[in-house]
């Protein structure tokens, strides 16, 4: 295989040793958990490692890669990451439409445990956040890291270990949900053994960044790398602390958290809100700060503002999670602290959104004509809207109406669909022709179709949830003259059905756009390579035949 032939002899030995360890761990889990669901995951790990080992052995004796490889950036992991991103996006959004349809038409359920809402819903959230979003961050961070440091990745093995190891974690998570394996923690449902594996993968990911930055030929560390590094480092901190748990035994999937009661709730929402902050915000801001200026052909409007925004977001977001626990047993001062930081957080958030939009000054004609750049512009707008709404909803009086209602669902999807997905698709559309050295995307018209499907789907979804959420909140707090509730919970459910139908339709529109994106990018990859392609400006500094070409936005 081409991937194996790119590895040096020492890297092939390291890969063989890694597969051997994984096979041993998988078989041990299967044996110890033969009467438990962990045994099934043991076989998943073992079979995956055996498949990798077989692929390695088939090309183990291939000639060592040529030294000329060092004159090019190492982009193959990014290429595979792009495809995995699009596949996970379709899977996660398809399941999302499924569970949305179940809320609108509960009678459509299948009489099987794996098809219940409680098992399908985390597949949607994890598939979109971690499968789609995580792969996009890994793929783009490898690309951005190399271009902004003018240095090749430090080796060929560790990027593949991170990419494939991360996707093994995603598979363990999704298959575990279908079987009923869960910690019942929002955005942190995989059990202890999957959590440990992710820590190993994440440490290697962090080391790639550090090793590349230490070898950089460019003295300045571009701001996109600041955001990517914050994403990697803080997510590791959040993941480890929130998932501290004691398993029943090494042969059982079930574990018990080290935290209990209000401490567990506080730790969970410190994790949950900062997963939004550093996974779904900081990482994708790094993406925006590189690909939007590159596509627009304009430098960042204010580089200083991007740095100030970085430190504001990094400091303030860490304190905001407790606003999810208003009117609970959490101490009142902790709730107020979270509310205050959430409101102040609007300043650095809007600084980034405004910086992105002002970067387009002098390039608005490109926004009009280029749907790819329009994706990025719309993402910045939704980022500004979602952060304003988040700060507003953190205020205790507003929270009393909005929390636990569909308004929160609408807010989350304004950020997930409008911000995260839009900047991801815009970046991948820009990146694909660059990586595969194609003159353009397969079809600009399909990008237009995707843009309008994504925008209309997001608007339908968010407006439906805003309306249903406000109605829910009002119905739950309406009293009659005798002092009792005017509406039962079932009454509120009946009132929600039209909005749930609208939500399912909006999700279907967005899913249609995701399918179009997958098709368009696959067809772009299959286009013939141009006879001549000048890549002299896209190789590491010091190995170029001519002076380096400055990148827009750097």
């Amino acid at each position: 295989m081409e991937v194996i032939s790119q590895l040096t002899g020492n890297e092939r030995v390291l890969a063989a040793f890694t597969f051997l360890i994984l096979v041993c761990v998988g078989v041990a889990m299967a044996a110890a958990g033969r009467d438990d669901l962990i045994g099934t995951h043991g076989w998943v790990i073992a079979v995956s490692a055996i498949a990798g080992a077989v692929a390695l052995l088939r090309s183990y004796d291939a000639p060592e890669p040529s030294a000329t490889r060092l004159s090019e950036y190492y982009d193959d992991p990014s290429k595979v990451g792009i495809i995995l991103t699009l596949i996970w996006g379709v899977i996660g959004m398809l399941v999302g439409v499924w569970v949305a349809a179940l809320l609108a038409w509960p009678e459509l359920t299948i009489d099987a445990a794996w098809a219940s809402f409680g098992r399908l819903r985390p597949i949607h959230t994890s598939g979109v956040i971690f499968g789609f979003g995580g792969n996009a961050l890994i793929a783009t961070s490898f690309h951005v890291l190399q271009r902004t440091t003018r240095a090749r990745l430090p080796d060929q093995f560790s990027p593949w270990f991170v990419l494939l190891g991360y996707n093994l974690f995603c598979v363990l998570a999704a298959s575990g949900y279908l079987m009923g394996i869960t910690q019942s923690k929002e955005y942190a449902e995989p059990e202890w053994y999957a959590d440990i594996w992710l820590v190993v993968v994440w440490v290697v990911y962090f080391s790639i960044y550090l090793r590349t930055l230490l070898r950089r030929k460019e003295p300045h560390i571009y701001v996109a790398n600041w955001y990517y590094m914050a994403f990697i480092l803080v997510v590791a901190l959040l993941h480890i602390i929130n998932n501290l748990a004691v398993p029943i035994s090494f042969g059982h999937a079930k574990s018990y958290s080290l935290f209990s009661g209000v401490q567990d709730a506080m730790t969970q929402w410190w994790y949950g809100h900062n997963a939004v902050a550093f996974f779904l915000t900081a990482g994708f801001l790094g993406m925006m700060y590189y690909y939007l200026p590159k596509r627009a052909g304009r430098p960042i409007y204010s580089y200083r503002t991007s740095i100030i925004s970085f430190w504001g977001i990094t400091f303030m977001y860490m304190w905001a999670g407790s606003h999810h626990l208003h009117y609970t047993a959490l101490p009142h001062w902790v709730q107020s602290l979270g509310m205050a930081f959430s409101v102040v957080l609007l300043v650095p958030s809007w600084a980034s959104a405004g910086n992105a939009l002002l970067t387009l000054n002098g390039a608005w004609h490109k926004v009009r004509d280029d749907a790819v750049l329009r994706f990025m512009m719309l993402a910045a707008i939704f980022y500004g809207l979602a952060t304003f709404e988040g700060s507003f909803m953190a205020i205790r009086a507003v929270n009393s109406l909005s929390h636990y209602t569909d308004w929160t669902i609408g807010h989350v999807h304004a950020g997930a669909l409008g911000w995260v997905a839009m900047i991801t698709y815009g970046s991948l559309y820009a990146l694909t022709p660059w990586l595969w050295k194609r003159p353009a995307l397969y079809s600009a018209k399909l990008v237009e179709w995707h843009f309008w499907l994504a925008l209309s789907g997001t608007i339908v979804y968010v407006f439906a949830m805003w309306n249903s959420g406000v109605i829910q909140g009002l119905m739950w707090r309406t009293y009659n003259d005798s002092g009792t509730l005017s509406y039962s919970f079932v009454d509120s459910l009946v009132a929600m059905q039209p909005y749930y139908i609208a939500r399912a339709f909006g999700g279907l529109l967005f899913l249609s756009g995701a399918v179009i994106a997958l098709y368009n990018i696959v067809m772009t990859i299959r286009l013939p390579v141009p006879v001549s392609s000048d890549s002299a400006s896209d190789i590491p500094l010091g190995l170029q035949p001519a002076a380096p070409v400055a990148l827009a936005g750097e």
Side-chain angles (χ1 to χ4, degrees):
M1 292 177 65
E2 186 179 349
V3 172
I4 307 302
S5 64
Q6 293 172 352
L7 303 180
T8 64
N10 290 335
E11 288 171 341
R12 292 175 197 181
V13 172
L14 181 58
F17 184 65
T18 302
F19 286 132
L20 177 61
I21 291 177
L22 285 175
V23 170
C24 293
V25 169
V27 171
M29 288 173 60
R34 57 189 178 275
D35 298 322
D36 189 84
L37 291 174
I38 194 175
T40 304
H41 272 167
W43 286 118
V44 170
I45 294 170
V47 170
S48 300
I50 291 171
V54 170
L56 176 66
L57 292 174
R58 290 179 63 184
S59 302
Y60 194 83
D61 294 328
E64 288 232 358
S66 169
T68 58
R69 73 186 187 281
L70 300 177
S71 66
E72 298 177 349
Y73 292 123
Y74 191 47
D75 290 326
D76 286 358
S78 292
K79 291 179 179 180
V80 174
I82 289 172
I83 302 301
L84 290 171
T85 298
L86 296 167
I87 292 173
W88 275 109
V90 170
I91 293 172
M93 294 174 199
L94 176 63
V95 177
V97 173
W98 185 351
V99 295
L102 286 179
L103 287 174
W105 302 285
E107 66 275 7
L108 296 180
T109 190
I110 301 172
D111 188 19
W114 64 265
S116 63
F117 180 91
R119 296 195 186 184
L120 290 175
R121 191 260 178 179
I123 295 178
H124 163 59
T125 54
S126 294
V128 172
I129 295 172
F130 299 117
F132 174 72
N135 276 292
L137 289 169
I138 292 172
T140 58
S141 66
F142 286 162
H143 176 261
V144 172
L145 176 63
Q146 294 182 92
R147 269 67 183 181
T148 54
T149 59
R150 297 293 191 185
R152 180 182 165 93
L153 292 178
D155 64 90
Q156 289 84 214
F157 172 73
S158 56
W160 288 112
F161 178 83
V162 170
L163 182 68
L164 299 180
Y166 180 77
N167 280 275
L168 176 59
F169 165 79
C170 291
V171 169
L172 291 176
S175 59
Y177 302 151
L178 289 175
M179 294 187 290
I181 300 175
T182 176
Q183 290 188 108
S184 300
K185 288 188 171 187
E186 185 76 341
Y187 311 139
E189 302 209 28
E191 273 289 0
W192 61 274
Y193 53 91
D195 291 333
I196 292 173
W197 172 244
L198 183 59
V199 171
V200 174
V201 170
W202 220 247
V203 168
V204 177
Y205 187 17
F206 188 58
S207 74
I208 291 174
Y209 241 85
L210 289 180
R211 291 160 64 201
T212 306
L213 288 172
L214 289 172
R215 296 168 56 252
R216 72 186 186 275
K217 304 298 191 298
E218 177 66 48
H220 177 73
I221 300 177
Y222 183 61
V223 67
N225 290 316
W226 291 44
Y227 282 99
Y228 279 123
M229 284 285 284
F231 143 66
I232 298 170
L233 185 60
V234 178
V235 165
L237 176 71
L238 299 169
H239 173 78
I240 291 171
I241 293 178
N242 189 51
N243 288 295
L244 290 173
V246 178
I248 294 176
S249 75
F250 290 114
H252 287 81
K254 180 62 182 172
S255 65
Y256 289 96
S257 173
L258 287 185
F259 307 102
S260 61
V262 72
Q263 288 84 9
D264 187 44
M266 180 63 245
T267 306
Q268 162 59 28
W269 283 109
W270 169 75
Y271 165 89
H273 197 74
N274 283 292
V276 173
F278 290 93
F279 201 99
L280 297 178
T281 300
F284 290 93
L285 282 173
M287 196 184 296
M288 181 194 75
Y289 271 120
Y290 182 83
Y291 291 105
L292 186 144
K294 281 284 289 182
R295 186 72 181 190
R298 305 285 299 173
I300 292 178
Y301 175 75
S302 172
Y303 194 86
R304 182 174 297 174
T305 299
S306 70
I307 301 296
I308 295 173
S309 174
F310 169 82
W311 287 112
I313 288 172
T314 301
F315 176 73
M316 294 177 190
Y317 246 124
M318 293 295 288
W319 301 88
S322 58
H323 76 246
H324 286 275
L325 297 169
H326 283 318
Y327 304 103
T328 67
L330 196 71
H332 193 271
W333 72 268
V334 181
Q335 300 176 33
S336 299
L337 184 73
M339 177 179 67
F341 272 97
S342 297
V343 173
V344 178
L345 189 59
L346 183 62
V347 176
S349 299
W350 270 28
S352 280
N355 208 5
L357 293 173
L358 289 170
T359 298
L360 296 172
N361 280 349
W364 286 106
H365 62 287
K366 294 183 180 180
V367 176
R368 179 194 63 207
D369 300 330
D370 183 5
V372 174
L373 192 56
R374 215 178 306 135
F375 265 106
M376 301 182 192
M377 179 273 294
L378 192 64
I381 291 175
F382 268 104
Y383 176 62
L385 291 174
T387 50
F388 170 79
E389 184 183 29
S391 296
F392 181 67
M393 293 171 71
I395 299 171
R396 188 177 281 108
V398 179
N399 194 272
S400 67
L401 173 68
S402 69
H403 216 98
Y404 311 115
T405 73
D406 289 333
W407 187 352
T408 302
I409 308 300
H411 166 62
V412 168
H413 283 78
L417 301 179
W419 157 237
V420 172
M422 295 287 190
I423 192 63
T424 299
Y425 282 120
S427 300
L428 296 189
Y429 278 137
L431 179 56
T432 299
W434 299 342
L435 283 187
W436 274 275
K437 295 180 172 57
R438 304 300 191 263
L441 288 165
Y442 170 74
S443 172
K445 184 173 291 185
L446 286 178
V447 180
E448 286 282 353
W449 271 99
H450 182 192
F451 174 82
W452 292 112
L453 283 170
L455 175 58
S456 57
T458 303
I459 290 175
V460 169
Y461 191 113
V462 172
F463 271 86
M465 292 298 94
W466 280 344
N467 279 277
S468 65
V470 172
I471 291 172
Q472 274 181 330
L474 292 174
M475 290 182 75
W476 293 350
R477 65 197 297 178
T478 300
Y479 295 88
N480 55 30
D481 293 338
S482 62
T484 60
L485 289 172
S486 298
Y487 304 100
S488 68
F489 184 72
V490 174
D491 290 334
S492 69
L493 284 179
V494 172
M496 292 306 102
Q497 190 180 30
Y499 302 106
Y500 286 172
I501 293 173
R503 169 168 65 176
F505 177 67
L508 184 61
L509 291 176
F510 206 93
L511 170 63
S512 302
V515 173
I516 288 174
L518 176 59
Y519 173 78
N520 200 6
I521 287 183
V522 168
M523 294 305 293
T524 300
I525 296 168
R526 296 180 63 185
L527 287 174
V529 182
V531 176
S532 62
S533 58
D534 180 17
S535 59
S537 65
D538 198 29
I539 62 176
L541 190 67
L543 298 170
Q544 294 171 313
V549 177
L551 298 178
E554 293 183 18

